Amino acid sequence: MRTASITRATKETQIRLSVDLDGTGKGTIGTGVGFFDHMLDLLARHSRIDMEIEAKGDLHIDFHHTVEDVGIALGQAVKTALGDMRGVTRYASLHLPMDETLTRVALDISGRPFLVFRTEFAVPKIGEFDTELVREFFQAFAMNAGLTLHVETLYGVNAHHIAESCFKGLARALRAAVAIDPAAVGEIPSTKGSLGG
């Protein structure tokens, strides 16, 4: 069973979270940030990773701590659920269209975290959600999941579409990369014999 549960409690946020990498994409999401909940639901649905996320944060200040800390906890959960990564496909990349927007996502379940994020928003907010928090989530998630992650929006106008293409692109790439390769069951997908170093 490739599952994990994480509890994270700080003075800024309290988070309970669980994942099942071999799920059906069921998301039970509650962070108190409507747009972020929508993005996380898309992430669950399109990755087919079951996610239960309950977060309570200092939203009276802003959404930053909640978004970042959910990214941290979700990354930790995915890394834990992957275990020693035997049999995973490891690499995935795709172009994700969302109406007028096109975003390219490529990732490597390398154990060596790195983020390249080349996505710009023409507006500072989507509703009450700060668009700069999209990058903050991706940074926190990639660093804690141990992913080498590249996200680049090639073109786009609508900020909602741009954000959605990034989250859906991550979801679809994750779905492919965490899948067990039937030709390599039980193998570590690295010439080193291990991942993460």
Side-chain angles (χ1 to χ4, degrees):
M1 295 290 291
R2 298 191 301 165
T3 62
S5 296
I6 297 288
T7 299
R8 177 182 171 86
T10 71
K11 291 182 179 179
E12 298 167 341
T13 60
Q14 293 79 46
I15 297 167
R16 289 189 302 128
L17 182 153
S18 64
V19 300
D20 180 351
L21 300 186
D22 302 305
T24 60
K26 180 182 178 184
T28 305
I29 315 291
T31 69
V33 182
F35 181 77
F36 188 42
D37 287 355
H38 177 44
M39 294 298 104
L40 292 172
D41 185 57
L42 294 172
L43 183 60
R45 179 73 57 87
H46 287 276
S47 68
R48 294 190 66 80
I49 297 173
D50 289 348
M51 298 180 188
E52 292 186 13
I53 301 172
E54 180 183 348
K56 296 181 180 178
D58 52 3
L59 302 183
H60 62 287
I61 296 175
D62 67 8
F63 298 158
H64 186 282
H65 296 143
T66 298
V67 171
E68 182 177 38
D69 286 6
V70 167
I72 290 170
L74 184 58
Q76 291 171 346
V78 167
K79 185 175 184 179
T80 300
L82 281 167
D84 66 5
M85 301 177 233
R86 287 183 185 277
V88 297
T89 301
R90 179 175 170 180
Y91 293 99
S93 64
L94 70 138
H95 289 78
L96 197 294
M98 179 69 194
D99 294 351
E100 86 296 342
T101 298
L102 185 66
T103 295
R104 176 171 54 209
V105 177
L107 67 81
D108 174 13
I109 304 174
S110 61
R112 298 183 308 276
F114 200 92
L115 176 68
V116 175
F117 192 83
R118 294 181 177 172
T119 292
E120 296 181 3
F121 295 90
V123 295
K125 288 183 178 288
I126 302 169
E128 297 180 351
F129 186 86
D130 295 314
T131 51
E132 67 181 11
L133 295 181
V134 175
R135 188 190 191 284
E136 291 301 320
F137 171 81
F138 276 74
Q139 176 78 15
F141 178 72
M143 294 302 106
N144 287 275
L147 301 179
T148 300
L149 177 60
H150 293 247
V151 180
E152 182 177 21
T153 299
L154 303 178
Y155 45 83
V157 176
N158 183 284
H160 189 132
H161 295 166
I162 291 170
E164 190 164 328
S165 70
C166 291
F167 276 87
K168 283 182 175 177
L170 172 61
R172 288 285 170 159
L174 268 177
R175 178 175 175 174
V178 305
I180 299 299
D181 180 350
V185 174
E187 297 178 13
I188 300 290
S190 171
T191 55
K192 296 178 182 179
S194 67
L195 288 169

